[in-house]
Structure formats: C-alpha cells, structure tokens
Amino acid sequence: MSIRTLSISLSIAALAAAAFAQGGGRGSEQQAPAGPWMDKSLAPDQRADMVIAQMTLDEKIQLVHGGQVPRGTLSPSNGGAGWIPGIPRLGIPDINMADSAVGVTRGAAASRYSTLLPSTLGLAASWDLKAGHLYGTVIGRELRDQGYNMSIGGGVDITREPRNGRNFEYDGEDPILAGKMVGQLMKGVQDQQIMGDLKHYALNDQETGRNIGNAILDKRSMRESDLLAFEIGLRDSQAAGVMCAYNKINGDWACENDYTLNQVLKKAFGFQGWVMSDWGGTHSTDKAAKAGLDQEMPGSGFFGDALKKAVESGEVPMARLNDMVHRILRSMFAVGVIDNPPRRQVVDVFKGLDDAQALAEESIVLLKNNGNQLPLNGAVKSIAVIGSHADVGIVSGGGSAQVDPPGGNAVPPPPPPAGAQGRGGRGGFGRGGAVYFPDSPLKAIRARAPNARVSFDAGTDPAAAASLAKSSDVAIVFVNQPMSEGRDAATLSLPEKQDDLVAAVAAANPKTIVVLETGGPVTMPWIDKANAVLAAFYPGIRGAEAIANILFGEVNPSAKLPVTFAKSDADLPHPQIAGMNLTPAGGRGGLPPFDIPYTEGLKVGYKWFDAENKEPLFPFGFGLSYTAYAYSGLKVTPAGNGLTVTFSVKNTGRRGGQEIAEVYASLPPGAGEPSKRLVGWDKVELAPGQSKTVTVNVEPLFLSIFNEEKNGWQVVGGDYKVLVGGSSKTLPLANTVKLAGN
Ligand code: BGC
C-alpha cells in the first residue's frame, strides 16, 4: 500500500469511527455473500434452516441476545435501542432496532431528523385503516433511510388504566379497534421491508411498578381483551417480533410465562416470529427459554454464556435454540431485510411533514361545539391564544418513544440547580420536563386570521389570561398533560392547575374554545363553561397546522374517541392505580412486589361504564363534525357464524365530511358478556346531501367468546342484537338475528 493510499484509508477509518461515535454505526446495509439460502424463490422457513445448518453454536447464541461492544471499542451499532450483530460469513446482516412508536427516536445523537407523528392514540381516533397503513409507511420509510431494519414500536396494550403514562403509544380501550389499527400500522412498516414488532405482551397496562407488578386476570378476559388486540394485530400484519413485557402475569414474569408465550402466542395464534424481552425483562435462562422467550434484550446475562452452557449440558435442548434462531432468521427472510437491506439516504422531510399533518387532521376529535361556534369565520376581530407554550410549540410524549425535535426542545427546560443530577434517559422526560416540538399554534392561527388581532398569554397567571380573554372576541386556551413511560398520572385531572386557568378564561369570555394536548383522557370540571372543545391528543410535528385547519374549517373534523373520557377518577374501575400508594422499599422499580387485580375483567372502558350505568363525560366512539349524519335502513344477515350488516348513512348538513359509522353487537344473554361490544365500523366520505349504503362484514371471531373449558373461541348460539350509529351511546338502528353458534 502506498503512503498516499494508507493515509486515505486512515482518514476514512477516522471518519467512520467518528460516525460510529455519533451513533452512526454500520447500519444494516452489509452486502450478503452468495449461499443457496439467498435464492429468493425458496420459502423463508427453508432458507432459515439452510443457514442454521451452517451455524456454529456460538453463532446461534450470538443471535439470541443483545450485542455487546467490548470496552474501549467503538460501537458498530446504528445507535438504536437494540443491536444484534449479524454473521457476515453467512450473509446475515446486523439487526438494528429503533424505538419508533410515534416516529424514529434517538435522532439527536446522530444528527438525524425524524418525523414526529400524532400519538398512536390519536391515530386510533381516526378509525381509519388506511391512515394506520400510512402511519407505518412513514416509520418504515424513515427507518430504512436511517439504516435500521427493525421497528420496536407497535404498542398495543389496551387502555384498562386511563392514567397509564404510555397510553399515547397505544391504541385505545377496544381490542378490535386497537388490533385492527396496529395491524395496519405494522403492515405499513413491514411493507417497507422493515421488521416490526408488537409490544408489550401483555397486560403492561400501567407504568407504576411495571418491573414488579403482578397483573391478575382470568384467561377468558385476557383472551377477549388484552390478548385479542395482539391476536388481531399479529394476524393482520404478520409482524416479525413480539416484545414481552416487564410485569408478571398471574404469577409468572411476562418473559417466562408459558401460558401467554407458548400456549397462546405461539400455539393458539400461530405466531411464527420471535419473542424478545423488554429491556432488562429477562429473569432466567432455563425457565424463560422453555416458556418461549427467544431473545434476551439488550444484554446477555441469561441468553449468553448461561444459555450456551444449558444447551451444552442438554438442560435446554438444541432443538429449542434452533427454534429461537429459526424464528429470527425466517422473519428476516420473510420481511425482506436480507434481500433488500436498507440504503441510507436523507429522510424526506417534506413528505414526512405532509403525512404527519394529514394524519393529525384525521385524529383530532371535536368534543363540544355550542351554537356552532366552530369553525371560526374570517370576520373574527380579536383572538386570545392562551397557555401550553402555544406561542412556540406542541407537546410530545416522553420515555423511549420520545422523538427528538429538530433544533432541540422548543421550550428548553430550566438549568438544573448546581450539583443536581439530571433525570434524563429512559423512563422519564429529559431533564426538566416535557419536550415541545417547534410548531406554533399561535403562528398557525395568525396565518388563518390575517385581519384579526391575535394575542398570546402564557396562562401562568389565570387573572392575566382572563383579562386578555375578556378584551378579545374569542379565547382559545391550550392545555396539556405531558405523559411519559416510567410513570402514570396520579389522577385524570389536568396538571399544573390548568383547570383553574380554563375556568377563569371561560368565566371571562363565553366564547372560549379549549384545545387539549393530552396523553389520554382527562377530566373537565369546566366543561359547562367552555363553549367548544377539541381533543388533539399529541398531534405531532404538524399539529399546529392541523388544529388551525380544524378551528377555521379548512378541515371538517371526523375523528372519534378511542377511549372513554370519565367524569371523575371515582367512576373508573380502580379509583386509584394499584401500587400508587406504596412507598419504595427495595425491589425492582423501587417498590415492593404487589398485585394488580384487574377485577373489572372483560369490562374495559365503555363496557365498564355500560355495566355500571355510569354516564361518561364523553363516551367511546364519540366525536362531532361540522355537518350532521342520519342513519337508516339496517339489514343484518347471518353469514355462517358471522354477520353482514348493511345500512345507509346520509350527510344531512351543508358541508362534505367523513362519518365513522359504528356497529356494536349484544351477545345472547347466556354468553355472559358485557352489554355490547364494537364489532365493526366504516369511515364513509359523504358530500352534502349524499347518502351511501355501507356494508360491514363482521367476522365470527369478533362475535365469539373465549370458552376456557374448550380452550377455544366459540360463537354462542342465540339472538344477536346489532346496533348501529355514530357513537357507543348514540345507536339509532337496531336489529336482531339468530346465529346457530358452534
Ligand atoms: C421500553 C420499551 C423499549 C425499550 C428499548 C424499555 O424500557 O419499555 O418499550 O422498546 O425500553 O428502549
């Protein structure tokens, strides 16, 4: 090698090293050498077995735990949350996993941009399966561009606990809505030839004591609620992975739970991909391996040398290790990460922004609109915009789903007191609190009301905010509820005395509109005083434009609640979150072990409110529009043990819109079910005066109960009352049919 070539190679190496140091890594782009398993016409299972036949024991072990970077060496990982080194001699690339629940995370460390989408709870509010697919497409596309080949988003723990800190990463309280939405989302990811996963399996429905809590729920309720969401999501997406949760389920850790992993996920669902542990959620070698865990993440404490020894001694059969490896490799072949590895390029920022806005416009729910105050018209002379840093930003969800905002936090946290330790890292917000994206509702409102005086008040002093509101035609109060992995909200109340702010402003101006930027449902003690209310959840990087477009009527709101909004904590199945009152006294997560008894069983969300005859603040499936719809002509016909439901929806108002038409069923009394369940829906686009016939096919699974004795699904023979309408509480059409059952 000449001196010149040597020095060029050295400087390339130096550059590469710098890239790795920034989390740039080598990505998942390695070229695969030829081998018979590279024949794309062969089935993924066959290709996986051909590779396994060539692998040494060490190579197999290497694939079933997180990669270790020797001290003092630069990490070849891509900078994501998880990394499994590949086997270059066999053409198996590294697996680079990125947290990407609402957008690709950890961008800042490598100076990469990622689009922050609306929260997945907001996505669920769209009830739009095409939107779900688009959501996954954006994530898959940006992962590819950044050199990743696996998304570890896909949260689908249902909202048993409306104060759960991670509800913004999940898809609401109904297993069928949640399962269908996450299924399309993950399909969207995998259609980009990026592996996806669903998490956190299962019953990780609260963050309080998530590393120590023991969720208690009977099998029937489990299969018909929390696990059903996974079953549907996996069936519809064929996701490569499932991440088992931190908590225990009926006494066994979720990552060594034979019932949920082996018996349900692998046997009953027929899941062909692999189970990885949540980070640090592996608790054993032998038990976990035999119960169905396939990969320890992110370390090697149990599935490294310990597993190797267990296999050598025969304690864990080689066949089981081969099964773990097979599941990983077959998924890589099936999704296409070996045949079509990611190629880095600059993320298409513009496309991402457009997609984020389109998704946000479909996910914002209009909850109240007295006297049709909205949409605002151009004649409004003065507008007071108040609160939630609406002059500069939109709040986002924290923890491992936190996407890094371009240019940094739009509301920089105050510097820590001298000598104090930062609270950054997983499990909480970065030091100082919530992260705001640089997207200003104030600016977006000004752009749509160029002739109005639009003033801003921070809302820190309710009296000052009220005085600005009083001197304005209209007041728009933005309030927020920052939520994060690692902690729950103690109550459904808005934090930081924002209820007092809204009450003061609404008292000063009867034309007060409230915009909620929240992780999940909140209470609204001021609801009778506020004239209009929008639930924007966390609306993403183009949230401000989407909110303004809805406020000014450029977009007609069409979203509906994927969760019940309760009037008070006392109305919930558990007025207080289990473990909330415990004081740290050792144990993982700082708390002593405790049970989380899900005594409500099947009655999650609206099913609870129905059973208890409690009036919610806003019911599941509710959302207003700037037009109105009428339902008529219901016909229900049995289709085997499923149903064909047809009816007409008419737009009776004066502007075009999209109506989410919801179909519920009451099962025969002998089935022992809550009074009704959602079994289908359609989102129908209608011009003013237009009427459409809608057909919803209800599959038998959605009408089934889980029969514990038979250990299987069953359609109970008898009368099924089918109810159709625009929310779980407004169901004008009803018809009863008999199903034979099975
Ligand atoms: C979270 C997971 C996440 C993982 C990796 C865990 O603490 O529960 O959702 O994927 O960290 O960041």
Side-chain angles (χ1 to χ4, degrees):
M1 191 185 286
S2 73
I3 301 277
R4 189 179 137 73
T5 328
L6 175 66
S7 78
I8 289 173
S9 330
L10 284 176
S11 46
I12 288 173
L15 280 175
F20 294 163
Q22 289 174 12
R26 69 182 178 221
S28 301
E29 309 165 286
Q30 303 99 299
Q31 268 307 313
W37 50 87
M38 294 311 293
D39 178 350
K40 294 182 197 169
S41 69
L42 300 177
D45 291 307
Q46 199 181 349
R47 297 172 73 180
D49 285 340
M50 289 167 119
V51 179
I52 291 173
Q54 304 295 318
M55 288 172 83
T56 64
L57 176 59
D58 284 331
E59 286 169 338
K60 291 176 187 174
I61 294 288
Q62 181 184 316
L63 285 193
V64 299
H65 64 78
Q68 312 295 295
V69 181
R71 226 174 238 285
T73 5
L74 293 167
S75 172
S77 109
N78 197 39
W83 170 65
I84 313 288
I87 303 164
R89 77 173 185 94
L90 299 173
I92 305 303
D94 296 5
I95 302 177
N96 276 294
M97 304 171 175
D99 278 312
S100 39
V102 295
V104 183
T105 61
R106 302 195 185 200
S111 307
R112 299 175 186 140
Y113 167 84
S114 309
T115 301
L116 174 72
L117 296 170
S119 62
T120 48
L121 189 61
L123 171 69
S126 77
W127 296 54
D128 183 340
L129 299 180
K130 283 198 227 91
H133 192 273
L134 172 63
Y135 197 107
T137 304
V138 177
I139 290 176
R141 186 172 74 211
E142 297 193 357
L143 287 169
R144 280 193 81 75
D145 292 345
Q146 297 184 22
Y148 289 105
N149 57 6
M150 183 161 200
S151 161
I152 46 170
V156 67
D157 295 272
I158 64 171
T159 316
R160 270 185 189 275
E161 177 43 72
R163 295 154 297 196
N164 176 1
R166 300 189 83 170
N167 282 335
F168 75 92
E169 301 182 49
Y170 301 148
D171 313 87
E173 70 191 25
D174 184 84
I176 296 179
L177 177 61
K180 294 293 292 177
M181 290 308 302
V182 83
Q184 285 312 301
L185 190 164
M186 267 309 143
K187 190 163 180 327
V189 170
Q190 295 206 153
D191 284 351
Q192 295 295 310
Q193 294 181 294
I194 296 294
M195 294 186 287
D197 89 333
L198 297 200
K199 71 185 185 185
H200 309 87
Y201 188 77
L203 289 156
N204 185 181
D205 297 340
Q206 65 174 56
E207 289 297 283
T208 305
R210 65 174 177 167
N211 286 305
I212 203 76
N214 177 29
I216 299 180
L217 186 62
D218 63 282
K219 286 182 181 163
R220 173 171 172 181
S221 301
M222 231 192 276
R223 291 296 304 268
E224 290 186 30
S225 57
D226 298 64
L227 301 194
L228 179 59
F230 281 91
E231 180 167 9
I232 297 167
L234 288 169
R235 178 194 73 179
D236 290 1
S237 67
Q238 298 295 310
V242 164
M243 185 189 292
C244 49
Y246 282 130
N247 48 288
K248 286 184 176 176
I249 304 167
N250 294 334
D252 280 325
W253 294 111
C255 290
E256 52 181 48
N257 193 305
D258 180 72
Y259 176 71
T260 52
L261 297 179
N262 275 341
Q263 295 182 47
V264 178
L265 177 67
K266 291 184 174 174
K267 189 151 172 251
F269 298 176
F271 173 63
Q272 291 181 292
W274 84 94
V275 178
M276 71 179 75
S277 71
D278 198 345
W279 271 225
T282 309
H283 294 266
S284 61
T285 302
D286 184 53
K287 182 171 179 188
K290 288 180 180 156
L293 179 69
D294 300 307
Q295 190 177 61
E296 173 185 6
M297 287 304 289
S300 59
F302 298 100
F303 276 28
D305 288 345
L307 181 62
K308 185 179 171 190
K309 278 199 194 92
V311 170
E312 280 168 341
S313 72
E315 197 182 341
V316 171
M318 177 63 91
R320 176 67 189 104
L321 176 62
N322 286 345
D323 174 48
M324 297 174 189
V325 174
H326 178 96
R327 287 170 171 277
I328 297 167
L329 291 175
R330 69 93 54 205
S331 304
M332 296 177 82
F333 284 118
V335 177
V337 302
I338 295 179
D339 297 336
N340 184 16
R343 296 260 171 268
R344 286 181 208 231
Q345 60 176 11
V346 176
V347 161
D348 190 335
V349 179
F350 304 104
K351 220 174 180 175
L353 291 173
D354 286 351
D355 290 342
Q357 185 170 334
L359 289 164
E361 286 171 353
E362 276 220 72
S363 66
I364 297 171
V365 187
L366 176 62
L367 291 176
K368 183 170 179 185
N369 192 15
N370 245 10
N372 293 328
Q373 187 192 348
L374 294 175
L376 291 171
N377 84 38
V380 58
K381 297 244 163 28
S382 53
I383 304 175
V385 175
I386 294 164
S388 190
H389 302 285
D391 52 337
V392 292
I394 283 283
V395 78
S396 59
S400 63
Q402 180 71 63
V403 176
D404 292 331
N409 195 344
V411 182
Q421 284 260 298
R423 277 205 305 119
R426 285 213 323 266
F429 287 116
R431 172 175 54 78
V435 173
Y436 287 76
F437 271 62
D439 186 33
S440 157
L442 178 66
K443 266 194 205 156
I445 289 168
R446 280 196 173 133
R448 280 154 192 84
N451 300 319
R453 169 175 60 82
V454 184
S455 330
F456 179 72
D457 181 278
T460 38
D461 170 11
S467 129
L468 176 66
K470 200 166 192 141
S471 62
S472 309
D473 287 350
V474 169
I476 308 177
V477 195
F478 286 78
V479 288
N480 69 43
Q481 180 208 34
M483 298 286 270
S484 171
E485 174 181 344
R487 59 180 168 81
D488 300 316
T491 77
L492 290 171
S493 302
L494 285 167
E496 308 279 332
K497 300 204 170 121
Q498 293 175 96
D499 284 333
D500 296 348
L501 172 67
V502 179
V505 172
N509 187 328
K511 291 264 158 88
T512 292
I513 301 158
V514 180
V515 180
L516 302 159
E517 294 174 38
T518 67
V522 289
T523 47
M524 304 176 206
W526 35 260
I527 189 65
D528 293 336
K529 306 275 163 36
N531 209 47
V533 180
L534 282 183
F537 302 102
Y538 297 146
I541 188 158
R542 274 297 176 104
E545 289 71 16
I547 290 168
N549 277 348
I550 287 181
L551 290 173
F552 286 87
E554 275 157 57
V555 170
N556 187 358
S558 64
K560 295 194 175 174
L561 293 181
V563 279
T564 305
F565 277 50
K567 281 187 179 157
S568 73
D569 290 82
D571 284 346
L572 301 175
H574 308 279
Q576 202 189 26
I577 296 181
M580 232 335 142
N581 55 353
L582 296 174
T583 26
R588 299 190 71 200
L591 294 176
F594 65 94
D595 286 345
I596 309 169
Y598 286 120
T599 44
E600 72 282 4
L602 288 171
K603 290 173 281 174
V604 180
Y606 61 93
K607 295 166 187 164
W608 169 259
F609 283 79
D610 280 355
E612 299 286 306
N613 270 319
K614 287 186 200 255
E615 201 52 44
L617 177 59
F618 292 106
F620 175 80
F622 174 81
L624 300 170
S625 156
Y626 296 150
T627 187
Y629 304 96
Y631 288 76
S632 64
L634 174 63
K635 275 203 205 84
V636 185
T637 31
N641 273 321
L643 296 171
T644 305
V645 181
T646 59
F647 52 92
S648 291
V649 189
K650 183 173 182 183
N651 181 345
T652 57
R654 272 173 301 186
R655 62 172 298 169
Q658 297 184 79
E659 167 70 338
I660 298 163
E662 302 166 30
V663 181
Y664 294 80
S666 297
L667 271 56
E673 283 291 302
S675 64
K676 65 172 184 287
R677 58 163 81 157
L678 178 77
V679 293
W681 69 92
D682 196 10
K683 193 162 185 175
V684 200
E685 178 143 25
L686 292 162
Q690 192 185 8
S691 182
K692 274 188 189 164
T693 302
V694 178
T695 301
V696 175
N697 294 310
V698 182
E699 54 177 292
L701 175 66
F702 297 175
L703 297 166
S704 296
I705 65 159
F706 186 76
N707 184 323
E708 268 195 53
E709 263 166 48
K710 292 187 186 159
N711 193 28
W713 291 108
Q714 183 195 2
V715 175
V716 176
D719 285 346
Y720 285 73
K721 185 170 178 191
V722 173
L723 303 136
V724 175
S727 99
S728 66
K729 283 285 199 183
T730 314
L731 298 163
L733 307 182
N735 217 333
T736 301
V737 289
K738 227 178 231 339
L739 289 183
N742 57 17

